[in-house]
Short mmCIF file of all heavy atoms in Angstrom, two decimals:
data_model
loop_
_atom_site.label_atom_id
_atom_site.label_comp_id
_atom_site.label_asym_id
_atom_site.label_seq_id
_atom_site.Cartn_x
_atom_site.Cartn_y
_atom_site.Cartn_z
N ALA S 1308 -11.50 -6.96 7.04
CA ALA S 1308 -11.82 -8.03 6.09
C ALA S 1308 -11.54 -9.42 6.67
O ALA S 1308 -11.83 -10.42 6.02
CB ALA S 1308 -11.03 -7.83 4.80
N GLY S 1309 -10.96 -9.47 7.87
CA GLY S 1309 -10.76 -10.75 8.54
C GLY S 1309 -9.36 -11.34 8.44
O GLY S 1309 -9.12 -12.46 8.91
N TYR S 1310 -8.42 -10.60 7.87
CA TYR S 1310 -7.05 -11.11 7.80
C TYR S 1310 -6.39 -11.00 9.17
O TYR S 1310 -6.55 -10.00 9.87
CB TYR S 1310 -6.23 -10.32 6.77
CG TYR S 1310 -6.73 -10.54 5.36
CD1 TYR S 1310 -7.52 -9.58 4.74
CD2 TYR S 1310 -6.43 -11.70 4.66
CE1 TYR S 1310 -8.00 -9.77 3.45
CE2 TYR S 1310 -6.91 -11.91 3.38
CZ TYR S 1310 -7.69 -10.94 2.78
OH TYR S 1310 -8.17 -11.13 1.51
N THR S 1311 -5.67 -12.03 9.55
CA THR S 1311 -4.99 -12.04 10.85
C THR S 1311 -3.50 -11.82 10.72
O THR S 1311 -2.81 -11.68 11.73
CB THR S 1311 -5.24 -13.37 11.58
OG1 THR S 1311 -4.78 -14.45 10.75
CG2 THR S 1311 -6.73 -13.55 11.88
N GLU S 1312 -3.00 -11.79 9.49
CA GLU S 1312 -1.60 -11.50 9.23
C GLU S 1312 -1.52 -10.68 7.95
O GLU S 1312 -2.03 -11.09 6.91
CB GLU S 1312 -0.81 -12.80 9.07
CG GLU S 1312 0.67 -12.59 8.94
CD GLU S 1312 1.43 -13.90 8.98
OE1 GLU S 1312 1.57 -14.52 7.91
OE2 GLU S 1312 1.86 -14.29 10.08
N ILE S 1313 -0.89 -9.50 8.04
CA ILE S 1313 -0.78 -8.61 6.89
C ILE S 1313 0.70 -8.25 6.71
O ILE S 1313 1.30 -7.64 7.59
CB ILE S 1313 -1.64 -7.35 7.07
CG1 ILE S 1313 -3.10 -7.73 7.35
CG2 ILE S 1313 -1.53 -6.45 5.84
CD1 ILE S 1313 -4.01 -6.57 7.70
N LEU S 1314 1.26 -8.65 5.58
CA LEU S 1314 2.66 -8.41 5.27
C LEU S 1314 2.76 -7.26 4.28
O LEU S 1314 2.00 -7.20 3.31
CB LEU S 1314 3.29 -9.66 4.65
CG LEU S 1314 3.37 -10.88 5.56
CD1 LEU S 1314 2.11 -11.71 5.46
CD2 LEU S 1314 4.56 -11.72 5.17
N PHE S 1315 3.71 -6.36 4.50
CA PHE S 1315 3.87 -5.18 3.66
C PHE S 1315 5.19 -5.25 2.90
O PHE S 1315 6.27 -5.35 3.50
CB PHE S 1315 3.84 -3.91 4.52
CG PHE S 1315 2.50 -3.68 5.15
CD1 PHE S 1315 2.19 -4.25 6.38
CD2 PHE S 1315 1.55 -2.92 4.51
CE1 PHE S 1315 0.94 -4.06 6.96
CE2 PHE S 1315 0.29 -2.72 5.08
CZ PHE S 1315 0.00 -3.29 6.30
N TYR S 1316 5.08 -5.20 1.56
CA TYR S 1316 6.24 -5.20 0.67
C TYR S 1316 6.20 -3.92 -0.16
O TYR S 1316 5.13 -3.49 -0.59
CB TYR S 1316 6.20 -6.40 -0.29
CG TYR S 1316 6.51 -7.71 0.36
CD1 TYR S 1316 5.50 -8.46 0.98
CD2 TYR S 1316 7.79 -8.23 0.36
CE1 TYR S 1316 5.77 -9.68 1.56
CE2 TYR S 1316 8.08 -9.46 0.94
CZ TYR S 1316 7.06 -10.17 1.54
OH TYR S 1316 7.33 -11.39 2.12
N GLY S 1317 7.35 -3.34 -0.43
CA GLY S 1317 7.41 -2.13 -1.25
C GLY S 1317 6.74 -0.93 -0.60
O GLY S 1317 6.28 -0.03 -1.28
N CYS S 1318 6.72 -0.91 0.71
CA CYS S 1318 6.06 0.17 1.45
C CYS S 1318 7.04 0.91 2.36
O CYS S 1318 6.63 1.50 3.36
CB CYS S 1318 4.90 -0.39 2.29
SG CYS S 1318 3.59 -1.17 1.33
N GLU S 1319 8.33 0.91 2.03
CA GLU S 1319 9.31 1.49 2.94
C GLU S 1319 9.21 3.00 3.09
O GLU S 1319 9.80 3.57 3.98
CB GLU S 1319 10.74 1.09 2.57
CG GLU S 1319 11.23 1.64 1.25
CD GLU S 1319 11.12 0.63 0.13
OE1 GLU S 1319 10.24 -0.25 0.20
OE2 GLU S 1319 11.90 0.71 -0.81
N SER S 1320 8.49 3.65 2.22
CA SER S 1320 8.25 5.10 2.34
C SER S 1320 9.51 5.93 2.16
O SER S 1320 9.58 7.06 2.63
CB SER S 1320 7.60 5.44 3.68
OG SER S 1320 6.43 4.68 3.89
N SER S 1321 10.52 5.38 1.51
CA SER S 1321 11.76 6.12 1.28
C SER S 1321 12.39 5.64 -0.02
O SER S 1321 12.01 4.61 -0.56
CB SER S 1321 12.73 5.92 2.44
OG SER S 1321 13.00 4.55 2.68
N PHE S 1322 13.34 6.42 -0.51
CA PHE S 1322 14.05 6.06 -1.74
C PHE S 1322 15.47 6.61 -1.66
O PHE S 1322 15.78 7.44 -0.80
CB PHE S 1322 13.34 6.60 -2.99
CG PHE S 1322 12.69 7.94 -2.82
CD1 PHE S 1322 13.41 9.12 -2.96
CD2 PHE S 1322 11.33 8.04 -2.53
CE1 PHE S 1322 12.80 10.36 -2.83
CE2 PHE S 1322 10.72 9.27 -2.38
CZ PHE S 1322 11.44 10.43 -2.53
N ALA S 1323 16.32 6.11 -2.54
CA ALA S 1323 17.71 6.58 -2.55
C ALA S 1323 17.73 8.05 -2.95
O ALA S 1323 16.93 8.49 -3.78
CB ALA S 1323 18.54 5.75 -3.53
N GLU S 1324 18.65 8.79 -2.37
CA GLU S 1324 18.74 10.23 -2.63
C GLU S 1324 18.82 10.53 -4.13
O GLU S 1324 18.20 11.44 -4.62
CB GLU S 1324 19.96 10.80 -1.92
CG GLU S 1324 20.14 12.28 -2.09
CD GLU S 1324 21.31 12.80 -1.31
OE1 GLU S 1324 21.73 12.17 -0.32
OE2 GLU S 1324 21.82 13.87 -1.69
N ASP S 1325 19.59 9.74 -4.84
CA ASP S 1325 19.74 9.96 -6.28
C ASP S 1325 19.08 8.86 -7.10
O ASP S 1325 19.30 8.74 -8.29
CB ASP S 1325 21.22 10.08 -6.66
CG ASP S 1325 22.01 8.85 -6.24
OD1 ASP S 1325 21.46 7.98 -5.53
OD2 ASP S 1325 23.19 8.76 -6.62
N GLY S 1326 18.25 8.04 -6.46
CA GLY S 1326 17.59 6.93 -7.14
C GLY S 1326 16.15 7.25 -7.47
O GLY S 1326 15.66 8.35 -7.22
N PRO S 1327 15.46 6.27 -8.02
CA PRO S 1327 14.06 6.48 -8.39
C PRO S 1327 13.14 6.60 -7.17
O PRO S 1327 13.46 6.08 -6.10
CB PRO S 1327 13.72 5.23 -9.20
CG PRO S 1327 14.65 4.18 -8.68
CD PRO S 1327 15.92 4.92 -8.31
N THR S 1328 12.03 7.28 -7.36
CA THR S 1328 11.06 7.43 -6.27
C THR S 1328 10.22 6.17 -6.10
O THR S 1328 9.70 5.92 -5.02
CB THR S 1328 10.12 8.62 -6.54
OG1 THR S 1328 9.48 8.43 -7.81
CG2 THR S 1328 10.89 9.93 -6.52
N HIS S 1329 10.06 5.39 -7.17
CA HIS S 1329 9.29 4.15 -7.14
C HIS S 1329 10.07 3.09 -7.91
O HIS S 1329 10.93 3.42 -8.73
CB HIS S 1329 7.91 4.34 -7.77
CG HIS S 1329 7.04 5.26 -6.99
ND1 HIS S 1329 7.14 6.64 -7.10
CD2 HIS S 1329 6.09 5.02 -6.08
CE1 HIS S 1329 6.25 7.20 -6.29
NE2 HIS S 1329 5.61 6.24 -5.65
N HIS S 1330 9.73 1.83 -7.72
CA HIS S 1330 10.43 0.78 -8.42
C HIS S 1330 10.20 0.85 -9.93
O HIS S 1330 11.09 0.63 -10.72
CB HIS S 1330 10.03 -0.61 -7.91
CG HIS S 1330 10.68 -1.70 -8.66
ND1 HIS S 1330 12.03 -1.94 -8.57
CD2 HIS S 1330 10.20 -2.57 -9.57
CE1 HIS S 1330 12.35 -2.93 -9.38
NE2 HIS S 1330 11.26 -3.33 -9.99
N TYR S 1331 9.00 1.17 -10.33
CA TYR S 1331 8.59 1.11 -11.73
C TYR S 1331 8.68 2.45 -12.45
O TYR S 1331 8.43 2.53 -13.65
CB TYR S 1331 7.14 0.59 -11.82
CG TYR S 1331 6.24 1.26 -10.81
CD1 TYR S 1331 5.65 2.48 -11.06
CD2 TYR S 1331 6.03 0.66 -9.57
CE1 TYR S 1331 4.87 3.11 -10.11
CE2 TYR S 1331 5.23 1.28 -8.62
CZ TYR S 1331 4.67 2.50 -8.90
OH TYR S 1331 3.89 3.13 -7.96
N GLU S 1332 9.01 3.53 -11.74
CA GLU S 1332 9.12 4.84 -12.37
C GLU S 1332 9.87 5.81 -11.45
O GLU S 1332 10.03 5.53 -10.27
CB GLU S 1332 7.74 5.43 -12.69
CG GLU S 1332 6.98 5.87 -11.44
CD GLU S 1332 5.63 6.49 -11.73
OE1 GLU S 1332 5.21 6.55 -12.89
OE2 GLU S 1332 4.99 6.92 -10.77
N ASP S 1333 10.29 6.90 -12.03
CA ASP S 1333 10.91 7.95 -11.22
C ASP S 1333 10.19 9.26 -11.51
O ASP S 1333 9.94 9.60 -12.66
CB ASP S 1333 12.39 8.09 -11.55
CG ASP S 1333 13.06 9.12 -10.65
OD1 ASP S 1333 12.69 9.21 -9.47
OD2 ASP S 1333 13.95 9.84 -11.13
N ASP S 1334 9.85 9.95 -10.46
CA ASP S 1334 9.25 11.27 -10.60
C ASP S 1334 10.26 12.28 -10.06
O ASP S 1334 10.32 12.53 -8.86
CB ASP S 1334 7.94 11.36 -9.82
CG ASP S 1334 7.24 12.69 -9.98
OD1 ASP S 1334 7.85 13.62 -10.57
OD2 ASP S 1334 6.10 12.81 -9.54
N PRO S 1335 11.09 12.84 -10.96
CA PRO S 1335 12.14 13.75 -10.49
C PRO S 1335 11.59 15.04 -9.89
O PRO S 1335 12.33 15.78 -9.25
CB PRO S 1335 12.94 14.04 -11.77
CG PRO S 1335 12.00 13.77 -12.88
CD PRO S 1335 11.08 12.68 -12.40
N ASN S 1336 10.31 15.31 -10.07
CA ASN S 1336 9.71 16.52 -9.52
C ASN S 1336 9.21 16.35 -8.10
O ASN S 1336 8.72 17.30 -7.50
CB ASN S 1336 8.55 16.99 -10.42
CG ASN S 1336 9.04 17.34 -11.80
OD1 ASN S 1336 10.07 17.99 -11.96
ND2 ASN S 1336 8.34 16.86 -12.81
N LYS S 1337 9.29 15.16 -7.57
CA LYS S 1337 8.84 14.93 -6.20
C LYS S 1337 9.70 15.72 -5.23
O LYS S 1337 10.92 15.76 -5.35
CB LYS S 1337 8.94 13.44 -5.83
CG LYS S 1337 7.93 12.56 -6.50
CD LYS S 1337 6.80 12.31 -5.57
CE LYS S 1337 5.87 11.28 -6.19
NZ LYS S 1337 4.52 11.50 -5.87
N ALA S 1338 9.04 16.33 -4.27
CA ALA S 1338 9.78 17.03 -3.21
C ALA S 1338 10.53 15.98 -2.39
O ALA S 1338 9.99 14.93 -2.07
CB ALA S 1338 8.81 17.79 -2.32
N ARG S 1339 11.77 16.26 -2.10
CA ARG S 1339 12.58 15.31 -1.34
C ARG S 1339 12.99 15.95 -0.01
O ARG S 1339 13.41 17.10 0.03
CB ARG S 1339 13.81 14.90 -2.14
CG ARG S 1339 13.43 14.11 -3.37
CD ARG S 1339 14.65 13.72 -4.18
NE ARG S 1339 14.23 13.20 -5.46
CZ ARG S 1339 14.38 11.93 -5.84
NH1 ARG S 1339 14.94 11.08 -5.03
NH2 ARG S 1339 13.97 11.53 -7.01
N ILE S 1340 12.82 15.18 1.03
CA ILE S 1340 13.26 15.61 2.35
C ILE S 1340 14.06 14.47 2.98
O ILE S 1340 13.92 13.31 2.59
CB ILE S 1340 12.06 16.00 3.26
CG1 ILE S 1340 11.06 14.85 3.37
CG2 ILE S 1340 11.38 17.24 2.75
CD1 ILE S 1340 9.91 15.13 4.31
N TRP S 1341 14.91 14.81 3.93
CA TRP S 1341 15.73 13.81 4.59
C TRP S 1341 15.29 13.72 6.04
O TRP S 1341 15.13 14.73 6.72
CB TRP S 1341 17.21 14.18 4.48
CG TRP S 1341 17.71 13.94 3.09
CD1 TRP S 1341 18.43 12.87 2.66
CD2 TRP S 1341 17.48 14.76 1.94
NE1 TRP S 1341 18.66 12.97 1.31
CE2 TRP S 1341 18.09 14.13 0.84
CE3 TRP S 1341 16.82 15.96 1.73
CZ2 TRP S 1341 18.06 14.65 -0.44
CZ3 TRP S 1341 16.79 16.49 0.44
CH2 TRP S 1341 17.41 15.84 -0.62
N VAL S 1342 15.12 12.47 6.49
CA VAL S 1342 14.66 12.22 7.85
C VAL S 1342 15.72 11.40 8.57
O VAL S 1342 16.12 10.32 8.09
CB VAL S 1342 13.32 11.44 7.83
CG1 VAL S 1342 12.85 11.12 9.23
CG2 VAL S 1342 12.26 12.21 7.07
N ALA S 1343 16.17 11.91 9.71
CA ALA S 1343 17.15 11.19 10.51
C ALA S 1343 16.43 10.37 11.57
O ALA S 1343 15.57 10.88 12.29
CB ALA S 1343 18.11 12.18 11.18
N THR S 1344 16.75 9.08 11.64
CA THR S 1344 16.17 8.18 12.64
C THR S 1344 17.32 7.48 13.35
O THR S 1344 18.48 7.63 12.98
CB THR S 1344 15.25 7.12 11.99
OG1 THR S 1344 16.07 6.17 11.29
CG2 THR S 1344 14.25 7.75 11.04
N SER S 1345 17.00 6.67 14.31
CA SER S 1345 18.04 5.91 15.01
C SER S 1345 18.67 4.86 14.09
O SER S 1345 19.75 4.36 14.38
CB SER S 1345 17.46 5.24 16.26
OG SER S 1345 16.41 4.37 15.89
N SER S 1346 18.00 4.53 12.99
CA SER S 1346 18.52 3.53 12.04
C SER S 1346 19.30 4.15 10.90
O SER S 1346 19.87 3.44 10.08
CB SER S 1346 17.36 2.72 11.45
OG SER S 1346 16.68 2.05 12.46
N GLY S 1347 19.26 5.47 10.76
CA GLY S 1347 19.97 6.13 9.68
C GLY S 1347 19.18 7.30 9.14
O GLY S 1347 18.13 7.67 9.67
N THR S 1348 19.67 7.87 8.06
CA THR S 1348 18.99 8.99 7.41
C THR S 1348 18.38 8.49 6.12
O THR S 1348 19.02 7.78 5.35
CB THR S 1348 19.99 10.14 7.12
OG1 THR S 1348 20.55 10.56 8.38
CG2 THR S 1348 19.30 11.31 6.46
N PHE S 1349 17.12 8.88 5.89
CA PHE S 1349 16.37 8.40 4.74
C PHE S 1349 15.86 9.56 3.90
O PHE S 1349 15.39 10.56 4.44
CB PHE S 1349 15.19 7.54 5.20
CG PHE S 1349 15.61 6.31 5.95
CD1 PHE S 1349 15.72 6.33 7.33
CD2 PHE S 1349 15.94 5.15 5.27
CE1 PHE S 1349 16.13 5.22 8.03
CE2 PHE S 1349 16.35 4.02 5.96
CZ PHE S 1349 16.45 4.05 7.35
N CYS S 1350 15.92 9.40 2.60
CA CYS S 1350 15.35 10.36 1.66
C CYS S 1350 13.91 9.94 1.40
O CYS S 1350 13.63 8.76 1.14
CB CYS S 1350 16.17 10.36 0.37
SG CYS S 1350 15.60 11.57 -0.84
N THR S 1351 13.00 10.90 1.48
CA THR S 1351 11.59 10.59 1.30
C THR S 1351 10.88 11.82 0.77
O THR S 1351 11.50 12.82 0.44
CB THR S 1351 10.97 10.09 2.63
OG1 THR S 1351 9.65 9.60 2.38
CG2 THR S 1351 10.93 11.17 3.69
N GLY S 1352 9.57 11.76 0.70
CA GLY S 1352 8.74 12.90 0.33
C GLY S 1352 7.72 13.14 1.42
O GLY S 1352 7.51 12.28 2.29
N PRO S 1353 7.06 14.29 1.40
CA PRO S 1353 6.11 14.61 2.48
C PRO S 1353 5.01 13.57 2.68
O PRO S 1353 4.75 13.15 3.81
CB PRO S 1353 5.53 15.96 2.03
CG PRO S 1353 6.58 16.55 1.16
CD PRO S 1353 7.23 15.40 0.46
N MET S 1354 4.37 13.11 1.60
CA MET S 1354 3.28 12.14 1.76
C MET S 1354 3.82 10.80 2.25
O MET S 1354 3.19 10.13 3.07
CB MET S 1354 2.54 11.97 0.44
CG MET S 1354 1.27 11.17 0.56
SD MET S 1354 0.14 12.03 1.68
CE MET S 1354 -0.96 10.74 2.08
N LEU S 1355 4.99 10.41 1.76
CA LEU S 1355 5.57 9.14 2.21
C LEU S 1355 5.99 9.21 3.68
O LEU S 1355 5.91 8.21 4.39
CB LEU S 1355 6.75 8.76 1.33
CG LEU S 1355 6.40 8.37 -0.10
CD1 LEU S 1355 7.66 8.10 -0.90
CD2 LEU S 1355 5.47 7.17 -0.13
N LEU S 1356 6.42 10.37 4.13
CA LEU S 1356 6.75 10.53 5.55
C LEU S 1356 5.50 10.35 6.39
O LEU S 1356 5.52 9.64 7.42
CB LEU S 1356 7.39 11.89 5.82
CG LEU S 1356 7.70 12.20 7.28
CD1 LEU S 1356 8.62 11.15 7.89
CD2 LEU S 1356 8.30 13.59 7.41
N ILE S 1357 4.41 10.95 5.98
CA ILE S 1357 3.14 10.79 6.70
C ILE S 1357 2.73 9.31 6.72
O ILE S 1357 2.28 8.78 7.73
CB ILE S 1357 2.04 11.68 6.09
CG1 ILE S 1357 2.40 13.15 6.33
CG2 ILE S 1357 0.67 11.34 6.66
CD1 ILE S 1357 1.54 14.13 5.54
N GLN S 1358 2.88 8.64 5.56
CA GLN S 1358 2.56 7.21 5.48
C GLN S 1358 3.40 6.42 6.48
O GLN S 1358 2.87 5.60 7.24
CB GLN S 1358 2.81 6.68 4.07
CG GLN S 1358 2.68 5.16 3.96
CD GLN S 1358 2.97 4.67 2.58
OE1 GLN S 1358 2.14 4.79 1.70
NE2 GLN S 1358 4.15 4.08 2.36
N ALA S 1359 4.71 6.67 6.50
CA ALA S 1359 5.60 5.93 7.40
C ALA S 1359 5.24 6.19 8.86
O ALA S 1359 5.23 5.25 9.67
CB ALA S 1359 7.05 6.31 7.13
N GLU S 1360 4.97 7.44 9.21
CA GLU S 1360 4.62 7.76 10.59
C GLU S 1360 3.34 7.04 11.02
O GLU S 1360 3.27 6.46 12.10
CB GLU S 1360 4.47 9.27 10.77
CG GLU S 1360 5.78 10.01 10.73
CD GLU S 1360 5.62 11.51 10.79
OE1 GLU S 1360 4.57 12.04 10.38
OE2 GLU S 1360 6.58 12.17 11.24
#
Side-chain angles (χ1 to χ4, degrees):
Y1310 294 101
T1311 58
E1312 186 172 86
I1313 304 174
L1314 295 88
F1315 294 88
Y1316 288 86
C1318 298
E1319 66 261 28
S1320 306
S1321 56
F1322 36 84
E1324 181 177 337
D1325 57 352
T1328 56
H1329 294 81
H1330 177 69
Y1331 46 84
E1332 71 178 4
D1333 183 36
D1334 183 351
N1336 298 316
K1337 288 262 187 214
R1339 294 179 191 248
I1340 56 176
W1341 286 260
V1342 178
T1344 72
S1345 60
S1346 300
T1348 300
F1349 298 92
C1350 183
T1351 189
M1354 190 62 198
L1355 291 176
L1356 177 57
I1357 293 169
Q1358 172 182 284
E1360 288 175 334

